[in-house]
Amino acid sequence: MSQWLHDFGLEHPLVIAGPCSAETEEQVMDIAHQLKDTDATVYRAGIWKPRTRPGNFEGVGAIGLKWLQRVKEETGMLTATEVANRAHVQLALEHDIDILWIGARSTVSPFIVQEIADALEGTDKIVLVKNPVNPDLALWLGGIERLYTANIKKLGVIHRGFSTYEKTKYRNNPEWQLAIELQNRFPDLPLICDPSHICGRRDTLQDVSQTALDLNFDGLMIETHRDPDNAWSDAAQQITPDTLVQMMKDLQIRKTTDTTADYTNKLDMLRAQIDVIDHSILETLGKRMKVSVGIGQLKKDHNVAVLQSKRWNEILGKMILEGEGHGLSEEFILRMFKAVHQESINHQKRVINN
Ligand code: PEP
Ligand code: MN
């Protein structure tokens, strides 16, 4: 666990909750009072909302910062909001917001991140960097480095998933392996999962949150609203404070492994990593078979035989060499690719004989 989490007395897992957007003073205060005695220790609310398309609610603006100050006074919770330029940072500092986060649409832009880093230089704010919208680990790391270079040392990251062209069951595909890689490289950097923006809907929040905890994330940021269906932004993914309380009860929270890195905790984490990788192997194999079907169709249209031995022997030779580079034995590569090839032929045959 990172030092600043510890210094702020923030428990494991850190829970950040609150509405996607601050809407009215009364809404902000009502939700805050409902969250006051729950596991949530940090109150989030978007004041300036980056919208993908214009015409949606773009946030209440600076007035909302006063409401967040009231939240802190009345509930003792820490406060957090998104900043996306120098002016936002200055206003957030003036209003004593505890935690600033950089949104996914800002992390993609080194210019914006640099502007924010420059505006923060010399302060000791806690800054959380959301992953960029596209699955680019270097861009995410670059954002963290820019802040670190500006002497911002209380840093953390938020994993909110990555947008994809293909429609999946997620609003933003988790691509867990990227977060795992980041965690392996920077084990002391607090890693917080934002299941709300990964899921984009309520019914899968629990499952994604559990995966995050199994993967040893340090906390969760969950959008919480008193009347989710009528929220001014991200209505489908928000939950009520009561649902949040129930969710936290149902989650299996694993011990962190600071000094007593015991066997079962480590094992659970490694197994969770394996599950993520196995899942992506299956997904990749599925995609490969779809391409095979396309080839089958083409062969059918041109009246060409399914089995093309020359091509197959070339693939095999190449894969054995490539596999060696990954520490995989020739015997394994042969067995695996024979099975893959057979499945591929079966798919093509089905197309051709139909
Ligand atoms: C948000 O947290 O409300 C938000 C806009 O998130 P993101 O930057 O992850 O899309
Ligand atoms: Mn949101």
Side-chain angles (χ1 to χ4, degrees):
M1 199 211 275
S2 135
Q3 193 55 41
W4 66 258
L5 276 176
H6 189 261
D7 293 347
F8 276 79
L10 295 168
E11 306 224 341
H12 177 80
L14 170 67
V15 180
I16 304 174
C20 177
S21 302
E23 297 166 5
T24 64
E25 182 166 14
E26 202 256 326
Q27 170 246 17
V28 166
M29 296 315 300
D30 186 12
I31 299 169
H33 281 284
Q34 290 190 49
L35 286 171
K36 184 172 177 246
D37 295 313
T38 68
D39 289 310
T41 46
V42 180
Y43 188 84
R44 66 148 281 155
I47 298 294
W48 300 282
K49 299 304 298 177
R51 310 310 308 193
T52 301
R53 307 278 305 271
N56 294 311
F57 177 57
E58 294 192 327
V60 291
I63 180 81
L65 297 170
K66 300 232 184 322
W67 309 340
L68 287 179
Q69 279 183 303
R70 237 190 102 191
V71 168
K72 183 153 52 171
E73 268 164 38
E74 290 184 22
T75 68
M77 296 175 85
L78 298 182
T79 52
T81 201
E82 172 175 353
V83 290
N85 61 36
R86 180 186 310 275
H88 294 168
V89 171
Q90 274 152 6
L91 283 162
L93 292 175
E94 279 164 26
H95 290 82
D96 210 20
I97 303 300
D98 300 294
I99 300 179
L100 309 183
W101 82 78
I102 298 183
R105 293 162 195 76
S106 300
T107 309
V108 290
S109 163
F111 288 133
I112 290 287
V113 176
Q114 192 59 52
E115 179 179 322
I116 294 170
D118 291 343
L120 280 165
E121 189 151 16
T123 71
D124 71 341
K125 278 292 145 188
I126 301 172
V127 183
L128 305 176
V129 183
K130 284 202 171 196
N131 64 258
V133 280
N134 52 321
D136 185 337
L137 185 59
L139 200 53
W140 199 1
L141 292 175
I144 298 156
E145 283 160 3
R146 282 177 201 280
L147 290 156
Y148 198 79
T149 308
N151 232 355
I152 304 298
K153 297 287 152 72
K154 292 177 190 155
L155 283 171
V157 290
I158 302 176
H159 173 227
R160 49 77 82 195
F162 302 89
S163 65
T164 48
Y165 178 67
E166 295 161 53
K167 265 257 135 298
T168 71
K169 69 172 180 170
Y170 301 105
R171 174 178 177 191
N172 291 295
N173 211 15
E175 313 262 14
W176 294 106
Q177 70 286 358
L178 262 140
I180 292 167
E181 201 176 324
L182 187 123
Q183 191 180 34
N184 286 341
R185 286 212 222 164
F186 300 96
D188 293 330
L189 191 65
L191 174 60
I192 292 156
C193 181
D194 171 349
S196 305
H197 290 89
I198 290 177
C199 298
R201 50 195 265 188
R202 274 164 224 140
D203 59 336
T204 47
L205 287 176
Q206 177 94 30
D207 196 38
V208 166
S209 302
Q210 186 64 59
T211 300
L213 293 181
D214 292 345
L215 291 171
N216 242 6
F217 277 56
D218 298 283
L220 300 169
M221 179 193 254
I222 300 180
E223 287 188 339
T224 313
H225 196 286
R226 61 174 173 178
D227 182 9
D229 283 332
N230 292 305
W232 296 2
S233 59
D234 290 352
Q237 70 198 29
Q238 302 205 56
I239 54 174
T240 63
D242 282 348
T243 307
L244 178 73
V245 168
Q246 189 57 46
M247 222 180 100
M248 294 310 299
K249 266 199 205 129
D250 294 340
L251 284 175
Q252 288 211 37
I253 293 162
R254 318 217 183 263
K255 279 186 291 177
T256 43
T257 56
D258 40 348
T259 48
T260 52
D262 63 284
Y263 169 70
T264 48
N265 259 345
K266 279 196 164 161
L267 191 66
D268 281 349
M269 186 181 152
L270 292 170
R271 283 184 173 153
Q273 292 191 10
I274 292 268
D275 288 350
V276 168
I277 294 170
D278 283 349
H279 174 80
S280 75
I281 290 177
L282 287 180
E283 243 176 32
T284 304
L285 284 172
K287 273 191 202 152
R288 191 192 189 283
M289 292 312 154
K290 283 209 182 99
V291 176
S292 290
V293 167
I295 293 183
Q297 188 60 48
L298 196 69
K299 287 177 179 166
K300 180 179 184 175
D301 294 342
H302 291 79
N303 202 22
V304 172
V306 166
L307 183 63
Q308 300 285 316
S309 306
K310 184 162 167 277
R311 161 81 179 145
W312 164 237
N313 286 325
E314 278 168 14
I315 293 187
L316 211 51
K318 218 172 73 186
M319 288 305 142
I320 287 169
L321 273 180
E322 220 180 297
E324 243 171 38
H326 293 287
L328 304 170
S329 71
E330 177 171 343
E331 192 216 7
F332 171 69
I333 296 287
L334 273 172
R335 290 227 305 249
M336 190 186 77
F337 272 93
K338 273 188 187 154
V340 170
H341 187 231
Q342 188 54 55
E343 180 72 3
S344 181
I345 287 180
N346 295 346
H347 277 258
Q348 291 194 11
K349 273 194 189 147
R350 245 176 269 150
V351 176
I352 291 195
N353 297 331
N354 253 329

